[in-house]
Amino acid sequence: MTKIPKTYRVKSFGCQMNVYDGERMAELLAAEGMTPASDGADADLVVLNTCHIREKAAEKAYSDVGRLRRDDGSKPIVALAGCVAQAEGAEAKARSSLIDLVVGPQAYHRLPQMVAAAAKGLRPVDTDMPAISKFGALPARRKVGPSAFLTVQEGCDKFCTYCVVPYTRGAEISRPFADVVAEAEALVRGGARELTLLGQNVNAYQGGLDQLIRAIAAIDGLERIRYTTSHPADMSDALIAAHGEVDKLMPYLHLPVQSGSDSILKAMNRSHTAESYLRTIEKVRAVRPDIAISGDFIVGFPGETEEDFQATLSIVDAVRYASAYSFKYSARPGTPAAAMEGAVSAEVMDDRLQRLQARLAEHSLAFNRATIGKDTTILIDRKGRLPGQMIGKSPWLQSVFVETDAMIGDMVDVSVTHALPNSMGAILTTAKAA
Ligand code: SAH
Ligand code: SF4
Ligand code: F3S
């Protein structure tokens, strides 16, 4: 029989919502009297908050579990959480005897009771998606860093044919407006100056994401608002208008397109075309010309021809993305695309990904170079590697390096001096004036 754990460690992988969930699980354990394990020390309880989006991410979960066995043969209590837990449920216990409990993303408010059961030698599994929201059962937010995540919407009803999220996160639900505003206020009281509103389809927020952004913008002490991830089909005119009207809403939009080929988009069940997507980008740029557009791409979807791929390169050139994430298609069990014909070979996928990433890097560099000489404000979020160097985020979500004695959480005025595809250098504006 294992004993009740005193220390914990939560490790999150995958998307920002998993990071948010990981923080909330940590708060839940802390509210039970457990303390976070200090750096380098063994924890009595390890929560692996996993991602199932691509095969590599899902396999990583099990290799991480394996590594938790210590040299002396002992092990912590191991909780498998997140999207792998949801997808595999009780099967996860069969795959690894090290796993003591399995808890899905909609059930983690029950984590403390499950840990207590695991300490008694039981191996509980909870992958229910209860109608009652878990959020109401979570403790209040405690002190946070300068930039915080806030989940406002969860789940997805879009069923893109390659994607596991509708199965691992369940149906789309929006948190009540007043609850979200209350949590935003608590986060700002706890030290947040920037909030990123999260949802798998955040712009499908019931009650209007634009309205929510306007309400949150009224909170004193909050400087910056961001939101992610949006679906092109839910980019309403009201939300676009907010980009031109709400000063605290940062000039950055993550709007995944996945492919530039209409036949591939149709096979993906994306419900937008290359042209409708470009029209949306145009509307956003009309109200906010400097906006940084970011995207997600999949290469090698079943049936993708070189011509389809060329259409993807064309849309990249048309949009001129400031940043982007690109992936090789990964067949996921149970998704419709996994049964489609026309598999693209590994070599072709590698080649397309390389060509796509080279093109995306050119546009990122061009976007970053265009900010050289501009004065702007960054929110310091971490230390740089060199002494005296700090790194902060620009309004356009660029990582900006600067020499300053400012601290994490400070907002400092800088002038951008140089640009790389993934980062920028700057000097303090006061330094320039001196
Ligand atoms: N809800 C968001 C993102 C979901 S997952 C959206 O709709 O855009 C994040 C990204 O992972 C996706 O945008 C997609 O580019 C990628 N992705 C999802 N499933 C994938 C798969 N089976 N293979 C490769 N990439 C995938
Ligand atoms: Fe997945 Fe598509 Fe839903 Fe995004 S919109 S989470 S890619 S099913
Ligand atoms: Fe991964 Fe689940 Fe997020 S599959 S990307 S952790 S919603």
Side-chain angles (χ1 to χ4, degrees), residues 44-113:
D44 301 334
L45 165 69
V46 175
V47 180
L48 289 179
N49 191 19
T50 59
C51 174
H52 200 244
I53 198 83
R54 283 167 291 273
E55 189 180 355
K56 253 199 204 141
E59 288 309 315
K60 184 180 188 315
Y62 288 99
S63 57
D64 286 349
V65 168
R67 254 181 275 121
L68 291 174
R69 196 194 297 279
R70 302 179 191 125
D71 292 343
D72 64 1
S74 69
K75 69 170 213 55
I77 292 183
V78 178
L80 188 75
C83 290
V84 174
Q86 187 66 39
E88 312 233 312
E91 277 172 42
K93 292 197 296 184
R95 274 189 70 174
S96 172
S97 60
L98 300 176
I99 295 172
D100 298 294
L101 71 93
V102 179
V103 63
Q106 305 306 350
Y108 66 71
H109 53 293
R110 300 189 191 123
L111 184 61
Q113 296 91 294

Side-chain angles (χ1 to χ4, degrees), residues 53-54 162 200 229 256 258 296 298 327-328 330 332:
I53 198 83
R54 283 167 291 273
Y162 51 81
Q200 265 90 30
T229 293
Q258 315 297 356
D296 290 346
I298 296 176
F327 311 98
K328 287 186 271 186
S330 169
R332 308 304 293 126

